Amino acid sequence: MPPVKRTNSDDPISTLVDLLSRLPGIGEKSAQRMTFHILRQDRAYAAALADALTRLGRDVQACSECHNLTHQNPCALCRDQRRDPAVLCVVATPQDLMAVEACGEYRGHYHVLGGLLSPLEGVGPEGLNIQPLITRLSRMEVKEVILALRPSVEGESTSFYLKRLLSPLVAKVTRIASGIPMGGELEYADKVTLARALTGRHLA
């Protein structure tokens, strides 16, 4: 990761504006508004925000089971005894996991790939958490794997690859049904759309 370039290391306002403007979808003007909003709050808010960012960098890690981001290992979802261990939902990112979980229709376990197959970007099977997925299936009594991957070219190719790879290992490999628009992102889908997609899933 390239070193952080600060506008003026002696000026905390300029430094924060510069750092915030590096966030996705945040330009310099938005970063300025956010910075002055923080300054208008009491000091306790700024201290709590700084502490949260510190803990984010210090404590968050990948779950050794599902590879979701968590401050505990294994994560709370993997430790939840109420969830069905016979069903495993495969998603590309932690954001996608959060989106599926928020719809309230799924009570199984998860596996986060860490991305999608993309030969043009140099992302092959070895760059994703596919081998850990196979390892989990070898020691878990999983009856169904749900492929909850976005309906894009990369998502389609990843689903096709996983379907061929996993079919000999589990009784059923399904995909979430239509309802997510082509090229859409799971993390931006509404709860009703995601719930319908999960309920109407089909064989991959």
Side-chain angles (χ1 to χ4, degrees):
M1 190 173 181
V4 176
K5 178 182 177 182
R6 292 191 167 95
T7 304
N8 185 343
S9 59
D10 294 328
D11 182 1
I13 294 178
S14 297
T15 298
L16 184 56
V17 169
D18 180 61
L19 292 173
L20 290 174
S21 67
R22 295 171 183 264
L23 295 173
I26 303 297
E28 185 175 355
K29 292 296 184 182
S30 295
Q32 288 178 357
R33 286 194 293 270
M34 294 169 67
T35 298
F36 285 103
H37 174 78
I38 293 171
L39 286 172
R40 286 193 295 271
Q41 311 306 307
D42 56 43
R43 292 181 180 271
Y45 176 82
L49 179 62
D51 180 63
L53 290 172
T54 299
R55 293 180 59 207
L56 190 72
R58 182 189 65 207
D59 299 337
V60 173
Q61 58 184 304
C63 173
S64 58
E65 284 289 311
C66 69
H67 296 273
N68 185 29
L69 293 178
T70 178
H71 68 286
Q72 295 177 317
N73 192 19
C75 71
L77 293 173
C78 288
R79 289 185 285 106
D80 190 347
Q81 298 296 318
R82 297 168 297 178
R83 305 191 76 93
D84 185 0
V87 185
L88 191 65
C89 182
V90 177
V91 296
T93 66
Q95 296 98 308
D96 291 344
L97 183 155
M98 292 175 65
V100 173
E101 188 66 12
C103 79
E105 292 292 323
Y106 180 70
R107 295 301 301 167
H109 285 261
Y110 292 95
H111 187 85
V112 180
L113 292 175
L116 296 170
L117 294 175
S118 180
L120 293 178
E121 297 181 5
V123 181
E126 68 285 345
L128 302 176
N129 298 317
I130 293 178
Q131 187 55 50
L133 172 60
I134 296 174
T135 301
R136 290 184 74 189
L137 292 176
S138 67
R139 58 180 171 79
M140 294 174 62
E141 296 183 2
V142 176
K143 297 179 180 179
E144 179 184 5
V145 171
I146 303 172
L147 303 178
L149 305 178
R150 65 182 68 117
S152 62
V153 173
E154 294 81 7
E156 292 294 312
S157 61
T158 306
S159 294
F160 180 74
Y161 177 84
L162 290 176
K163 161 69 175 176
R164 291 194 305 168
L165 189 67
L166 303 180
S167 291
L169 305 177
V170 293
K172 186 163 59 172
V173 178
T174 60
R175 296 180 61 183
I176 56 174
S178 59
I180 308 299
M182 192 67 179
E185 299 285 346
L186 283 181
E187 64 181 292
Y188 300 127
D190 63 270
K191 295 180 181 180
V192 174
T193 298
L194 265 175
R196 288 177 178 173
L198 277 169
T199 301
R201 63 184 181 272
H202 55 82
L203 289 173

